[in-house]
Structures are given as structure tokens and as C-alpha cells.
Amino acid sequence: MSDLSSEETEETEAYLGEYDGERDSEGERHGRGKAHLPNGDTYDGEYEHGFRSGQGTYTFSNGARYTGGYLQNKKHGRGIFFYPDGSKYEGEWVNDQRHGYGEYTYANGDTYTGEWFNHHRHGQGIYVYKETGSKYVGGWVNGNQEGEAELIHLNHRFKGKFVNGNPVGRGKYVFDIGCELHGEYIQSEQDKGEEEEEEEPSLLFAPKWKALEITKLTLWTPHGENPPSPREASLPSLHEASSEVFSPASVAGEEDEGSREEEETQDQEDQGEE
């Protein structure tokens, strides 16, 4: 996601295209104006000494459109970008990058609302899966789910830690029926062996959940020392509760291939505005 994409890349206007608007004493575009570029793109907005600066709307020949702030030909400040596939980003920009706080709506209906850093989901954010209604609330690093988080499903939640989109270590499932299943996600020996052979961790095998104890609802969180120990006879058996649990990786990993591909494609669009 580091590369900007052709849809979001605008042409330099200094000596290109037709221009109708205000100019300064040096003859540079300055004030309000409209430009028609050789590639079919158009810009209607504010200029400052020859640069798009201020508020404006840039329409791409492929149907993409950006409306918002500019600073020296770069998207800067608040703005909204509409992509040809129906997805959109609305939020803060810095130096042509999604940076700050914003909401991305993907073509499949998924949404991410939260912090961005240099075009990546980074910091704290909420990803909502349109198809299932599940929701990931927590940390992100360079576009991946990472850090302490909560994965919320229809009738239960998982609280724990994630690394590169997968749950790791201690965590707990909280069920709406009034109990918690404490345990940990561990990596299989097969996974470990593969990781030693590869430069990057293998994503072919999801971590395995190891159930440890069932308790009543508590305030224990992933960074607590130990889960409470007393068991309640009225609570379901460990086997019964374990059978209800689905790996958070199955949903977190869904994040979703479509949305990741869309962002990667759209990042290639950002470079057209040079």
C-alpha cells in the first residue's frame, strides 16, 4: 500500500491543458479556476501561485473523483475520494496519503473507521464485516490487525491479542449466556518449523485454540496476570463451550481479501496527480 495509484495521481498542470480562471501578477494560476488536462482529467477549485491549493474537485477520466483540500498539488486536509468500483474514503489526508482519521467503505460493504498512517490502517480502528455483522475493535499496524483487540460476533466475543491478523497467546471468549472460556492460542509445531525456513511467518496454518477454564463473567482482560480459578457447577462443560467457539482467525483473516486487493489497486491510483 505504499505506492500511490494511477486513479489518485493527478497530472501536473503548470504547462499542460486548458485553464479558465484567475491568475496572479506573474501570470500563474492563482485564485479560482478550472483546468482541462490532456489525459481527460479535470480540476475545478482553488489555486495558489500555480499549484492546486485550497478546496477543489479533481475528476479522473476513469470516473474516480476527489473533493477536498489541497496543498501544492497534493491532497491535504479533509477530503473524500470516490473510486470507480464504488468504494470510497472520507477523512484526513497529508501529502497525498490517507493519514489521520478516516472511514473507508469497501466495494463489498465492509467498513473501516479509525486511524491511518501513510496510507495504511494504523493505530486504533474498527473494521465491520458486512456479510456476517462481525466487528474487529482494536489495534492496527501497517494495515494488519495487531495488538489488543476484541472480535465481536452475534452471540459471543473474543478478547485477546493479535499479530499480523492472527490471535496469539492468552485470551478469552465471552458468551452471551453468561460465561467465559479462558485459554490461549498456540502455534503448532508444523507452523514453527515452516517459519524457521521462511523469511516471513507462514499464514497457511491458523494458530490453534487451547481451552483452559470456564468461569462466570469477570473483568479480566488480556493484560491481566491470571484468570480467576473457581469453577461453577452450573456452567457448561469445557467441551460444550469449546464446541461453540470458532477461531477469530477465520473472521479476522477475512478482512477480507477483496478489501485488501481494493486498497492495493487504489494505492496505485494515487500517483496520477503528479
Side-chain angles (χ1 to χ4, degrees):
M1 290 176 53
S2 58
D3 294 331
L4 300 176
S5 91
S6 60
E7 264 170 25
E8 294 180 1
T9 16
E10 304 160 5
E11 284 201 19
T12 301
E13 301 179 21
Y15 303 102
L16 296 175
E18 301 176 0
Y19 174 74
D20 180 16
E22 301 173 342
R23 296 180 182 272
D24 60 17
S25 59
E26 302 296 323
E28 296 179 315
R29 301 172 184 185
H30 189 83
R32 187 83 189 184
K34 297 181 180 180
H36 296 268
L37 301 168
N39 65 355
D41 295 353
T42 63
Y43 174 74
D44 184 351
E46 297 175 316
Y47 287 85
E48 185 175 329
H49 302 300
F51 295 98
R52 293 185 296 274
S53 287
Q55 295 296 306
T57 296
Y58 193 105
T59 303
F60 298 81
S61 57
N62 64 0
R65 185 175 81 257
Y66 170 79
T67 298
Y70 275 96
L71 180 64
Q72 295 191 332
N73 281 353
K74 304 291 187 181
K75 293 184 288 293
H76 196 91
R78 289 199 59 83
I80 180 169
F81 200 107
F82 296 91
Y83 297 91
D85 65 359
S87 59
K88 70 176 182 179
Y89 170 79
E90 182 172 7
E92 298 174 326
W93 299 78
V94 173
N95 195 32
D96 250 359
Q97 306 278 302
R98 295 186 287 267
H99 191 98
Y101 190 88
E103 178 176 353
Y104 202 121
T105 302
Y106 300 92
N108 67 354
D110 290 0
T111 61
Y112 170 79
T113 304
E115 297 175 305
W116 296 78
F117 183 84
N118 287 344
H119 237 43
H120 296 278
R121 294 172 299 225
H122 190 95
Q124 293 295 307
I126 300 172
Y127 192 102
V128 179
Y129 301 88
K130 171 72 182 251
E131 184 175 355
T132 63
S134 296
K135 182 187 303 184
Y136 173 94
V137 182
W140 296 77
V141 175
N142 293 326
N144 294 315
Q145 297 166 341
E146 191 152 326
E148 292 185 7
E150 189 169 9
L151 191 56
I152 304 170
H153 302 285
L154 181 62
N155 58 4
H156 69 281
R157 298 172 284 146
F158 171 77
K159 291 185 176 183
K161 295 180 181 179
F162 287 74
V163 173
N164 197 30
N166 290 304
V168 295
R170 293 282 300 281
K172 67 178 181 180
Y173 282 89
V174 181
F175 295 90
D176 290 353
I177 59 175
C179 68
E180 297 179 352
L181 176 61
H182 299 259
E184 63 180 329
Y185 273 95
I186 57 177
Q187 199 169 37
S188 68
E189 292 300 319
Q190 183 176 9
D191 291 348
K192 291 179 181 178
E194 290 191 5
E195 283 190 12
E196 291 174 358
E197 299 174 2
E198 299 180 4
E199 293 183 3
E200 296 182 0
S202 172
L203 299 180
L204 297 178
F205 298 93
K208 305 299 188 297
W209 171 252
K210 180 181 179 181
L212 299 177
E213 186 170 26
I214 299 174
T215 70
K216 285 187 175 180
L217 296 179
T218 70
L219 297 178
W220 177 77
T221 59
H223 40 79
E225 289 294 327
N226 293 299
S229 58
R231 291 182 177 149
E232 301 294 334
S234 61
L235 295 178
S237 70
L238 192 62
H239 173 74
E240 289 172 342
S242 299
S243 66
E244 297 184 38
V245 176
F246 297 92
S247 169
S250 65
V251 175
E254 282 171 7
E255 175 245 347
D256 104 354
E257 293 182 2
S259 67
R260 293 196 182 196
E261 289 175 0
E262 287 165 21
E263 284 193 7
E264 290 172 0
T265 299
Q266 291 154 8
D267 292 339
Q268 295 166 7
E269 300 164 1
D270 288 334
Q271 283 189 9
E273 308 178 8
E274 300 299 330

